Amino acid sequence: FLSLVGFMYVDDMDLIRLCDHTDSELITEDLQLTLQYWNKLVKVTGGALEPSKSGWYCYGQSWNTTTGSYDFKDLGSTGDIVAKDKDGKQVHLPFISCHSAQEMIGIKMTPTGVHTEQFLSMLEKSK
């Protein structure tokens, strides 16, 4: 049984970590390790992460048989996630609530799939 419990949006790329537990401290460590590997891969190809376009989520989801949909719950930020920028300087990435929309490639999205903020943004732009 796997739960989607860790998710990072890193410079126009989603890094997803599936775990069989909901221990937020272990999830944070797993996410940091995943990001370190990704940082090295990007560097090998001559690129670098853009920390200002990055953030991370730590949440759990469970099926609600009453509503017929998933319930999402932030598991909290029990530690820091750090990335290296183009100059090799370590930068702390912000923790983001799974209920908070972030703009990704021009679209405001949440891991929960709620599109309210995107709808409001499009409505405002149409005025």
Side-chain angles (χ1 to χ4, degrees), residues 5-11 13-17 19 23-39 49-59 75-85 89-97:
V5 290
F7 182 85
M8 284 185 285
Y9 179 72
V10 181
D11 196 10
M13 174 66 189
D14 295 333
L15 297 176
I16 300 170
R17 180 74 174 131
C19 301
D23 181 329
S24 60
E25 189 172 324
L26 289 175
I27 294 164
T28 302
E29 291 173 12
D30 288 346
L31 285 172
Q32 182 63 60
L33 187 59
T34 301
L35 180 60
Q36 286 172 337
Y37 288 136
W38 182 249
N39 213 141
L49 298 179
E50 178 54 55
S52 68
K53 296 168 63 178
S54 304
W56 65 286
Y57 305 90
C58 182
Y59 65 92
L75 299 179
S77 60
T78 58
D80 287 330
I81 298 289
V82 179
K84 289 186 179 180
D85 66 11
K89 180 182 173 189
Q90 289 194 342
V91 179
H92 294 271
L93 301 182
F95 172 79
I96 305 165
S97 168

Side-chain angles (χ1 to χ4, degrees), residues 1-6 16-22 27 59-62 75:
F1 173 73
L2 293 176
S3 299
L4 177 64
V5 290
I16 300 170
R17 180 74 174 131
L18 297 173
C19 301
D20 60 357
H21 57 80
T22 57
I27 294 164
Y59 65 92
Q61 63 187 39
S62 59
L75 299 179

